[in-house]
């Protein structure tokens, strides 16, 4: 399995504390999630603890939630449930070790005591076991291989061997410092990622899915292939607040897949469209599957720079998906939804306009240069205030009264800039109190509580993966294996950039079949990005390149978990759905190659004119590739026409003047011929 969302989404947690039904375990799971979210909000708002204890307690909560979830599932087997609770309690207790002995650990840095080694070994083992229960054996076995390499690598032949390290050095690297399980990925998970997951959870609970769907139906639902385009746009919009591709499939797919099937799309194609569109959410700013924050920290650049690099490729990805479904609708003779059956996009925005306010504020703060921690805290606070305030405003008669209410609330929020976070906390507390006494208010409070629980639940797969993959980063830092790997790949590719990109793409796709997207990105970028940098590829572009193909791995059989989830909803064959997903996403495969050959596509180099030229070239290449893949433009294409389209698309990928000129000429000839041939029809 290459994602954990399917495991975690099985946990049906509601505001009554029910997980897989009723019982003490369910209520315990509920309260653990509440305390976890509360801890994260307090540490983000007030920073009462230093960084390492926060990371340690964060991992402790993650592991505790995994074992609590299993205890709830195993309630009919008391011994297994008790064992899970014991492991969870051990994780919670050991997570306080860095907090309780922080001063001592600093004083004996580099010289761990016996207690340090014992506790460190236990914590590392618990993280591995939590990951195994959560996502299967693939990632734990991979990380375990790196641990074994750190322990026994001195016995390997050159150039793979290292000088050898003692048990105390390995535990010190993995547990006591910030280059192991508490490294940069864990730091980002404990700070930015959790806040943004809570942000998305609150908006989903408030009805953001309905708003996105209504807007998509109102804008493109009536066009050719409208239901499939609705799926693409809805999933793309959801990707702006929810960076989980699998979660996107199981939320928006429940509506869009049946809609596509009802209007004539085959089940496999409907599932493939939803899987492709949902996975693209991970490259759509501002959340980007949490990788944006890890990338910014790793490269020591601003978050806005990462978003800038990701924006155009993300839009091109969705343009590619819409183009593919448009062509498929043409070849299958499928039409849109009658316009009188589509909701009004304007009416939907008027009805739920307030949900857009926190999103707009968040994007503004991030692009204005504020830190993700600051932006996430403000965005989360605004979301809570808007949701709680909307139920109060609904009980105020007359437009004037509501206008005054929102004005007063806006003034109260503005006190944040002078009085700090206390002003926001007080405003939220007052709104919660008022909601207990107004019509529909208790339901709104319950919805926000559910948002806290769902946010904690959604953070578990990301957080556990970030902690576990720290063992790989720690091993590479300790042993220098990354240099040996890079040298081997350079030798294999013969120094060719194109061959290196192909090998990197294959490695990302294969690795991504077995483990989640985030660790795939971290591992591949750590190994390959330095080599691409030596070949002249900017670091941001190389990191985005490996991330892009790590996402596409979730569509690719034989694993392709996003395609599997979509096939389950569509009641379709998994392998057929997976290959259709690859086909729908095929035109998007050219985008990362084009960005490497000309980084102006990601606005990393060049002028705005260079970027505009690259966008036009990418759109032409995507159009040609899509027509060749589907075999249709205005009419069905002959095999030789498809071959010409593919050739022209390939020529446009490379940033060489003569290939561009030949590619554009061939594309123009192809388009003119096809238009002339189909003019009569």
């Amino acid at each position: 399995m290459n994602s954990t969302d399917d495991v975690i989404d099985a946990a049906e947690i509601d505001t009554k504390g029910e997980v897989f039904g009723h019982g003490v375990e369910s209520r315990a799971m509920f309260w653990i999630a509440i305390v976890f979210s509360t801890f994260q909000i307090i540490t983000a708002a007030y920073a009462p603890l230093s960084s390492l204890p926060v990371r340690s307690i964060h991992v402790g909560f993650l592991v505790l939630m995994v074992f609590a979830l299993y205890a709830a599932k195993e309630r009919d087997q008391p011994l297994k449930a008790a064992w899970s609770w014991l492991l969870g309690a051990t994780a919670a207790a050991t997570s306080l070790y860095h907090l309780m002995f922080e001063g001592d650990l600093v004083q004996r840095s580099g010289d761990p005591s016996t207690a340090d080694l014992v506790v460190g070994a236990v914590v590392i083992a618990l993280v591995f076991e939590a990951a195994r229960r959560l996502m299967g054996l693939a990632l734990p076995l991979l990380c375990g291989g790196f641990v074994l390499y750190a322990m026994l690598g001195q016995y390997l032949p050159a150039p793979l061997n290292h000088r050898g390290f003692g048990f105390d050095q390995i535990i010190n690297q993995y547990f006591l410092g910030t280059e192991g399980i508490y490294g940069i990925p864990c730091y980002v998970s404990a700070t930015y990622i959790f806040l943004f997951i809570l942000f998305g959870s609150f908006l989903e609970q408030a009805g953001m899915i309905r708003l996105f769907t209504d807007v998509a139906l109102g804008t493109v639902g009536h066009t050719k292939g409208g239901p499939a385009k609705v799926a693409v746009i809805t999933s793309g919009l959801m990707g702006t607040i929810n960076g989980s591709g699998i979660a996107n499939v199981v939320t928006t797919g429940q509506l869009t897949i049946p809609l596509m099937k009802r209007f004539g799309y085959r089940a496999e194609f409907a599932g493939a469209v939803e899987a492709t569109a949902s996975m693209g959410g991970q490259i759509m700013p501002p959340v980007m599957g949490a990788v944006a924050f890890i990338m910014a920290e790793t490269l020591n650049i601003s978050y806005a720079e990462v978003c800038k690099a990701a924006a155009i490729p993300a839009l091109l990805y969705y343009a590619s998906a819409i183009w593919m479904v448009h062509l498929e609708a043409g070849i299958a003779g499928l039409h849109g939804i009658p316009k009188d059956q589509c909701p009004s996009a304007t009416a939907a925005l008027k009805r739920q306009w307030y949900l857009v306010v926190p999103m707009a504020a968040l994007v503004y703060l991030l692009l204005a240069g504020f830190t993700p921690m600051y932006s996430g805290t403000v965005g989360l606070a605004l979301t809570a205030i808007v949701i709680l305030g909307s139920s109060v405003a609904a009980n105020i008669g007359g437009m004037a009264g509501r206008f005054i209410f929102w004005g007063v609330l806006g003034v109260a929020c503005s006190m944040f800039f002078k009085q700090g976070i206390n002003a926001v906390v007080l405003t939220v507390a007052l709104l919660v109190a008022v909601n207990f006494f107004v019509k529909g208010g208790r339901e709104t409070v319950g919805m926000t509580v559910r948002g806290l629980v769902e946010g904690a639940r959604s953070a578990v797969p990301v957080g556990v993966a970030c902690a576990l993959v720290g063992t790989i980063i720690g091993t590479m830092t300790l042993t220098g294996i990354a240099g040996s790997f890079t040298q081997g790949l350079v030798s294999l590719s013969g120094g060719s950039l194109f061959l290196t990109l192909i090998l990197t793409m294959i490695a990302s796709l294969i690795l991504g079949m077995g483990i989640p997207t985030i660790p795939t990105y971290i591992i591949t970028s750590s190994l390959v990005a330095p080599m691409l940098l030596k070949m002249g590829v900017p670091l941001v572009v190389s990191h985005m390149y490996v991330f892009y193909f790590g996402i596409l791995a979730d569509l690719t059989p034989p694993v392709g978990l996003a395609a599997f989830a979509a096939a389950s909803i569509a009641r379709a064959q998994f392998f057929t759905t997976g290959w259709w997903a690859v086909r729908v996403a095929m035109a998007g495969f050219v985008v990362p190659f084009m960005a490497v050959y000309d980084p102006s596509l990601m606005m990393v180099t060049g002028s705005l004119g260079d970027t505009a030229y690259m966008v036009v070239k990418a759109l032409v290449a995507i159009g040609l590739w899509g027509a060749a893949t589907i075999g249709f433009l205005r009419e069905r294409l002959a095999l030789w026409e498809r071959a010409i389209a593919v050739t022209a698309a390939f020529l446009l990928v490379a940033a060489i003047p003569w290939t561009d000129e030949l590619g554009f000429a061939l594309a123009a000839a192809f388009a003119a011929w096809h238009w002339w041939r189909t003019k009569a029809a």
Side-chain angles (χ1 to χ4, degrees):
M1 297 172 65
N2 58 339
S3 179
T4 62
D5 294 295
D6 62 324
V7 178
I8 296 301
D9 283 332
E12 295 297 334
I13 306 172
D14 65 19
T15 55
K16 297 179 182 178
E18 298 174 357
V19 185
F20 301 105
H22 302 271
V24 176
E25 298 88 351
S26 303
R27 294 188 179 277
M29 181 71 182
F30 167 78
W31 285 109
I32 290 169
I34 291 292
V35 174
F36 187 15
S37 291
T38 304
F39 166 78
Q40 293 292 157
I41 292 172
I42 291 173
T43 54
Y46 295 103
L49 304 175
S50 53
S51 180
L52 195 54
V54 169
R55 303 184 202 190
S56 178
I57 295 172
H58 175 76
V59 172
F61 267 118
L62 293 170
V63 176
L64 172 59
M65 285 196 67
V66 173
F67 290 123
L69 171 61
Y70 268 82
K73 292 172 65 177
E74 298 163 346
R75 65 167 59 89
D76 296 331
Q77 301 174 328
L79 289 178
K80 283 189 174 182
W83 174 244
S84 293
W85 278 121
L86 177 62
L87 293 177
T90 304
T94 53
S95 72
L96 301 174
Y97 192 77
H98 282 279
L99 177 63
M100 295 173 63
F101 302 104
E102 186 175 9
D104 295 337
L105 291 173
V106 171
Q107 289 181 357
R108 60 173 180 263
S109 177
D111 185 23
S113 66
T114 302
D116 296 341
L117 298 178
V118 171
V119 173
V122 169
V123 170
I124 293 167
L126 287 171
V127 170
F128 268 90
E129 174 60 12
R132 184 195 66 80
R133 293 193 181 200
L134 199 62
M135 62 189 74
L137 287 171
L139 184 58
L141 284 177
L142 179 63
C143 294
F146 276 84
V147 174
L148 286 176
Y149 176 75
M151 298 174 66
L152 306 173
Q154 64 268 32
Y155 302 113
L156 294 175
L160 296 177
N161 62 329
H162 56 69
R163 64 179 179 83
F165 303 95
F167 181 74
D168 58 334
Q169 291 175 292
I170 294 172
I171 296 297
N172 184 77
Q173 181 80 356
Y174 291 161
F175 173 69
L176 294 175
T178 56
E179 292 183 340
I181 61 175
Y182 303 130
I184 287 178
C186 180
Y187 164 71
V188 176
S189 172
T191 51
Y192 316 150
I193 292 177
F194 198 97
L195 289 176
F196 279 76
I197 288 175
L198 272 181
F199 175 79
S201 176
F202 272 42
L203 287 178
E204 284 186 45
Q205 294 297 316
M208 198 62 141
I209 296 177
R210 180 189 174 190
L211 174 61
F212 286 157
T213 304
D214 285 350
V215 169
L217 281 167
T219 51
V220 299
H222 61 283
T223 62
K224 181 190 290 185
K229 293 175 183 175
V230 167
V232 174
I233 293 176
T234 302
S235 296
L237 291 172
M238 277 300 296
T240 62
I241 65 168
N242 179 358
S244 171
I246 311 299
N248 232 347
V249 171
V250 299
T251 50
T252 61
Q254 300 288 348
L255 172 67
T256 58
I257 290 175
L259 182 67
M260 284 186 275
K261 290 175 66 177
R262 181 158 60 92
F263 280 86
Y265 285 91
R266 69 192 85 176
E268 289 79 8
F269 184 78
V273 169
E274 179 56 43
T276 304
S278 292
M279 290 312 300
Q282 292 191 71
I283 57 171
M284 178 64 75
V287 178
M288 290 177 59
V291 164
F293 311 114
I294 297 175
M295 194 181 297
E297 286 292 327
T298 303
L299 301 180
N300 195 28
I301 60 177
S302 70
Y303 171 86
E305 289 183 66
V306 177
C307 283
K308 186 174 73 171
I312 291 177
L315 293 173
L316 289 173
Y317 179 93
Y318 279 102
S320 165
I322 289 177
W323 176 240
M324 297 296 276
V325 300
H326 180 82
L327 295 175
E328 174 64 20
I331 201 171
L334 300 174
H335 302 287
I337 304 169
K339 196 161 187 177
D340 58 355
Q341 296 181 22
C342 295
S344 167
T346 305
L349 287 170
K350 285 182 178 179
R351 184 178 63 249
Q352 293 181 289
W353 62 270
Y354 55 89
L355 295 179
V356 181
V357 174
M359 189 70 191
L362 176 67
V363 172
Y364 168 77
L365 289 171
L366 287 169
L367 297 183
F370 290 94
T371 65
M373 176 77 85
Y374 180 90
S375 305
T377 304
V378 174
L380 181 61
L382 277 177
T383 305
I385 289 171
V386 165
I387 292 172
L388 292 166
S390 63
S391 60
V392 176
N395 288 274
I396 299 175
M399 183 61 69
R402 295 179 185 179
F403 183 81
I404 293 172
F405 170 77
W406 285 113
V408 171
L409 205 56
V411 172
C413 292
S414 68
M415 295 298 292
F416 168 77
F417 296 101
K418 287 190 176 182
Q419 303 298 325
I421 195 65
N422 288 328
V424 177
V425 172
L426 181 60
T427 303
V428 172
L430 287 173
L431 286 173
V432 169
V434 172
N435 268 279
F436 276 102
F437 300 99
V438 299
K439 182 180 178 182
R442 291 177 181 268
E443 290 79 2
T444 302
V445 173
M447 181 178 64
T448 57
V449 172
R450 183 182 176 92
L452 291 173
V453 175
E454 290 294 319
R457 175 192 62 76
S458 300
V460 171
V462 176
V464 170
C466 285
L468 185 60
V469 83
T471 58
I472 295 179
I473 297 174
T475 300
M476 289 192 295
T477 305
L478 187 66
T479 64
I481 183 61
S484 300
F485 178 87
T486 300
Q487 290 174 5
L489 195 58
V490 168
S491 300
L492 187 62
S493 66
S496 166
L497 176 59
F498 180 73
L499 190 54
T500 302
L501 293 175
I502 294 294
L503 291 172
T504 303
M505 178 187 73
I506 294 172
S508 297
L509 290 174
I510 293 174
L511 196 61
M513 290 180 190
I515 61 178
T517 305
I518 290 176
T520 298
Y521 156 72
I522 294 171
I523 296 166
T524 315
S525 63
S526 300
L527 294 171
V528 178
M531 181 182 60
L532 292 176
L533 179 64
K534 290 181 180 178
M535 293 183 171
V537 181
L539 266 179
V540 176
V541 177
S542 61
H543 278 245
M544 287 298 300
Y545 179 87
V546 298
F547 177 46
Y548 208 107
F549 284 109
I551 290 170
L552 293 174
D554 260 329
L555 303 174
T556 310
V559 182
L561 196 59
F564 182 83
S568 301
I569 298 172
R571 298 182 181 179
Q573 289 291 327
F574 160 61
F575 273 99
T576 308
T577 303
W579 289 120
W580 262 108
V582 172
R583 188 177 177 184
V584 171
M586 188 61 71
F589 275 69
V590 303
V591 174
F593 282 92
M594 297 183 77
V596 168
Y597 281 107
D598 192 338
S600 63
L601 185 63
M602 292 187 178
M603 294 186 283
V604 175
T605 62
S607 63
L608 287 177
D610 296 330
T611 300
Y613 171 76
M614 282 300 299
V615 169
V616 171
K617 192 169 76 160
L619 288 173
V620 173
I622 286 171
L624 292 167
W625 194 265
T629 303
I630 299 296
F632 183 87
L633 195 53
R634 296 177 69 186
E635 283 188 359
R636 289 182 182 272
L637 297 176
L639 190 60
W640 66 270
E641 290 177 303
R642 296 169 75 171
I644 291 176
V646 168
T647 303
F650 271 120
L651 287 170
L652 290 172
V653 171
I656 304 173
W658 73 266
T659 59
D660 281 4
E661 293 168 4
L662 185 57
F664 277 122
L666 204 56
F670 165 77
W673 160 259
H674 187 72
W675 178 84
W676 179 82
R677 184 173 69 83
T678 59
K679 183 172 61 172

